[in-house]
Amino acid sequence: MLLLCGIPLLLMEFTIGQYMCLGPVHALAKICPLLKGVGVATVVISFLLCTYYNVIITWALYYLFNSLRSSLPWQSCNNTWNIVENCSDGFPGNATHLQSASQQYFDYRLLQMSSGIEEIGSMRWELFGILLLAWIIVYFCIFKGIKSTGKVVYFTAIFPYLILIILLINNAQLPGAMDGIFFFLTPKWSKLLEVQVWVNAAAQIFNSIGIGFGTMISMASYNKFNHNILKDTLIVAVTNSVTSIFAGFVVFSAIGYMGHQYKLPVEDIATDGPGLVFVVYPEVFVTMPIAPMWATLFFFMLLCLGVDSQFAMVEVMVTSLMDGWGKSLLQFFKRKELLVLAVCFVAFILGIPNVTQGGIYFFQLMDHYTAVVSLMFLAFFEVVAVCWVYGVRRLSNNYKEMLGAPPNLFFKLCWWVASPSLVTLILVSSIIRYTPAQYGKMYTYPPWAEGLGWIISLCSIIWIPLGAVHTLYTSKGSFIQRLYSSVSPVNDIIPTEHKNIRR
């Protein structure tokens, strides 16, 4: 998926952004007016994502603050929030009636979770305050625009590698670490015959690289016109996947150690989602010497990683607003910094339901219908708009005009056949194998919540047909003439005011 979808589509988005010098909304509108709604949809999905993604940063900050003490608060069952009869000081393994102390800390101290989305409960004022702090951090990272963002990234992107190296050196010396690493590295070849594995692989690549969110188009739009985007593409894609594998060694060495401590197989401990970061790994720290130090380093690393992703998504919205209504918005807000503040404030308000007692259920619902369901639809229509409607020939000419040489045959074949075919197959498979959202293994959402989830999904997808209808309605001539003009790129495709500098 990295080779046939990730790298080619990342280069495609870089090419569009850098050549057009525009954000996703206006860039895709110029490429294919009929599917101009795809650009709007990418901005909407990025904005929806940033409203709840900052909650993860909120949780990381909460754990970070509570790690700055002599003993970790989730290391025992002797706390006011624990349900003692169901609490285990270690990992409970197959004892389904028991929960680890770290699980109860996450459920009953951090979240104070209700019984379901039907019971929204009261506001978690601690989390409300930390969510506000998280948005303040994000704002001061991006309020000066792309230049301030670039400076922040030098620290937030490099520092986590230092922490990962320190954690791996420590974990590798622990008993049982090699069992976890062998579990991580040993393939189960039969899994390649399962469609869901390929769907998950695509979702991982798209989410981690940022394809379909508009972030790569927005960031590339600030490049110089002849910047070497091929080098950027390879650096981003390879570094991303190498980092994922390296992080796997860090995680599974710790899980192997935990299995050794509690005499459990690795597969009984390994999990995914928030549970890995906020339940399993905190439980690992409890068994380590100088536990508060390791926990503090780990959650500070999570904060850096989360902030990186968050301000990229906010930048998509800011870039698109400036592209569309820059002069009017600056007349109203006077300064771009105040526009960024307004975007952050609206996203903060929309994220408040996630910090109520029933917030975790709303968070999971948002994540399922935004980052999974909507993303595949958007990726499909973006590939159709660029690779099949705009055309590989035009895209290759744009690339050649910027870099002086056309893309090689591999990229052209991927744009023509491999990437669109795989994205189509994944979308069809996702529809056929669709499963409703659920939280954990026990809680299933009521029908009205499922309906709410589809409304959330449609908030982004609906712009695609609306954009098509608007283009056909406002075009002139017969229906065939309107259809033909709507799939033809706009003539003045390069901003006339410049080719070598972004605004």
Side-chain angles (χ1 to χ4, degrees):
M1 283 299 165
L2 175 69
L3 189 66
L4 298 179
C5 277
I7 293 175
L9 296 183
L10 181 60
L11 182 62
M12 179 193 80
E13 291 201 350
F14 279 163
T15 302
I16 294 168
Q18 183 167 301
Y19 189 80
M20 306 297 173
C21 300
L22 293 168
V25 175
H26 291 79
L28 288 166
K30 284 181 174 290
I31 281 177
C32 178
L34 184 67
L35 293 176
K36 64 183 180 183
V38 175
V40 180
T42 60
V43 175
V44 172
I45 196 174
S46 287
F47 185 69
L48 288 174
L49 196 61
C50 79
T51 63
Y52 73 86
Y53 189 87
N54 226 19
V55 176
I56 298 175
I57 300 175
T58 301
W59 296 343
L61 281 169
Y62 186 91
Y63 272 80
L64 175 62
F65 296 151
N66 283 278
S67 298
L68 301 171
R69 53 177 69 186
S70 57
S71 62
L72 297 175
W74 55 82
Q75 68 183 36
S76 74
C77 294
N78 302 320
N79 302 288
T80 55
W81 60 81
N82 290 124
I83 303 175
V84 179
E85 58 271 21
N86 294 334
C87 187
S88 168
D89 282 332
F91 197 83
N94 292 324
T96 55
H97 66 288
L98 294 178
Q99 289 181 309
S100 66
S102 61
Q103 180 70 63
Q104 291 203 355
Y105 181 82
F106 182 70
D107 290 346
Y108 306 132
R109 180 68 186 96
L110 170 70
L111 302 177
Q112 295 183 15
M113 61 190 294
S114 63
S115 58
I117 197 171
E118 307 92 333
E119 185 185 342
I120 198 68
S122 58
M123 182 68 68
R124 288 283 290 111
W125 290 108
E126 283 177 291
L127 296 184
F128 179 90
I130 298 174
L131 178 64
L132 179 60
L133 173 62
W135 273 111
I136 291 172
I137 292 171
V138 170
Y139 172 73
F140 281 107
C141 286
I142 66 172
F143 78 114
K144 286 291 186 182
I146 202 74
K147 289 185 177 180
S148 65
T149 302
K151 293 175 182 176
V152 172
V153 165
Y154 279 115
F155 176 77
T156 57
I158 294 173
F159 179 76
Y161 285 102
L162 177 63
I163 301 301
L164 285 173
I165 291 169
I166 293 172
L167 287 171
L168 182 60
I169 292 172
N170 176 75
N171 294 356
Q173 302 176 60
L174 300 173
M178 293 308 297
D179 294 336
I181 291 173
F182 283 135
F183 177 82
F184 173 53
L185 293 178
T186 305
K188 296 179 181 178
W189 298 109
S190 60
K191 291 284 185 181
L192 291 176
L193 301 177
E194 297 180 15
V195 175
Q196 192 59 39
V197 170
W198 294 89
V199 173
N200 290 345
Q204 165 64 18
I205 291 298
F206 279 50
N207 277 282
S208 61
I209 293 181
I211 295 169
F213 292 101
T215 52
M216 296 299 113
I217 296 176
S218 293
M219 294 297 180
S221 70
Y222 291 94
N223 286 343
K224 292 182 179 179
F225 189 74
N226 58 355
H227 180 74
N228 189 345
I229 48 176
L230 177 60
K231 183 178 74 173
D232 283 1
T233 299
L234 296 176
I235 290 173
V236 169
V238 173
T239 304
N240 174 72
S241 290
V242 168
T243 302
S244 294
I245 294 170
F246 181 60
F249 281 95
V250 177
V251 169
F252 279 90
S253 59
I255 290 176
Y257 165 66
M258 197 170 177
H260 177 270
Q261 287 291 100
Y262 298 116
K263 296 179 173 55
L264 291 169
V266 174
E267 54 264 31
D268 286 355
I269 297 176
T271 184
D272 60 0
L276 175 64
V277 174
F278 296 106
V279 176
V280 174
Y281 229 86
E283 187 70 34
V284 172
F285 295 133
V286 169
T287 62
M288 290 183 178
I290 326 178
M293 180 189 73
W294 296 114
T296 300
L297 289 174
F298 179 77
F299 289 112
F300 186 68
M301 178 189 73
L302 276 187
L303 173 63
C304 292
L305 294 172
V307 166
D308 274 353
S309 299
Q310 182 69 3
F311 62 57
M313 290 182 285
V314 176
E315 185 63 44
V316 174
M317 175 60 79
V318 174
T319 299
S320 300
L321 289 173
M322 289 299 295
D323 282 343
W325 304 281
K327 291 182 180 179
S328 301
L329 288 170
L330 288 178
Q331 285 178 355
F332 179 78
F333 286 104
K334 306 303 181 185
R335 298 170 63 91
K336 185 180 177 182
E337 290 89 338
L338 295 178
L339 171 62
V340 177
L341 180 63
V343 171
C344 291
F345 179 75
V346 172
F348 165 69
I349 295 297
L350 293 176
I352 289 176
N354 295 288
V355 291
T356 59
Q357 289 179 312
I360 185 64
Y361 303 103
F362 189 71
F363 172 90
Q364 189 70 21
L365 192 71
M366 287 281 292
D367 188 52
H368 182 78
Y369 284 97
T370 302
V372 179
V373 175
S374 298
L375 180 60
M376 286 305 160
F377 278 97
L378 298 195
F380 170 76
F381 283 106
E382 182 182 305
V383 170
V384 168
V386 179
C387 295
W388 286 350
V389 179
Y390 184 62
V392 174
R393 180 180 59 81
R394 289 192 183 101
L395 188 64
S396 298
N397 290 339
N398 298 158
Y399 180 94
K400 181 180 179 180
E401 190 174 341
M402 293 186 295
L403 272 68
N408 63 41
L409 183 61
F410 169 76
F411 288 112
K412 290 181 180 179
L413 289 174
C414 286
W415 290 337
W416 264 321
V417 182
S419 298
S421 300
L422 283 171
V423 171
T424 303
L425 286 172
I426 291 164
L427 176 62
V428 172
S429 300
S430 300
I431 293 171
I432 294 172
R433 299 173 64 87
Y434 165 76
T435 53
Q438 62 180 44
Y439 179 72
K441 296 180 180 178
M442 303 297 292
Y443 182 79
T444 55
Y445 286 84
W448 68 265
E450 286 292 324
L452 177 62
W454 278 109
I455 291 172
I456 293 169
S457 184
L458 286 172
C459 285
S460 57
I461 297 173
I462 195 66
W463 291 101
I464 300 173
L466 286 179
V469 170
H470 180 264
T471 299
L472 292 172
Y473 180 76
T474 54
S475 300
K476 296 179 180 180
S478 65
F479 178 77
I480 298 298
Q481 290 173 327
R482 294 183 184 196
L483 187 62
Y484 179 77
S485 65
S486 67
V487 296
S488 301
V490 178
N491 291 328
D492 58 335
I493 207 158
I494 309 173
T496 54
E497 64 270 20
H498 57 77
K499 276 190 178 182
N500 297 316
I501 190 167
R502 172 78 157 103
R503 274 186 284 289

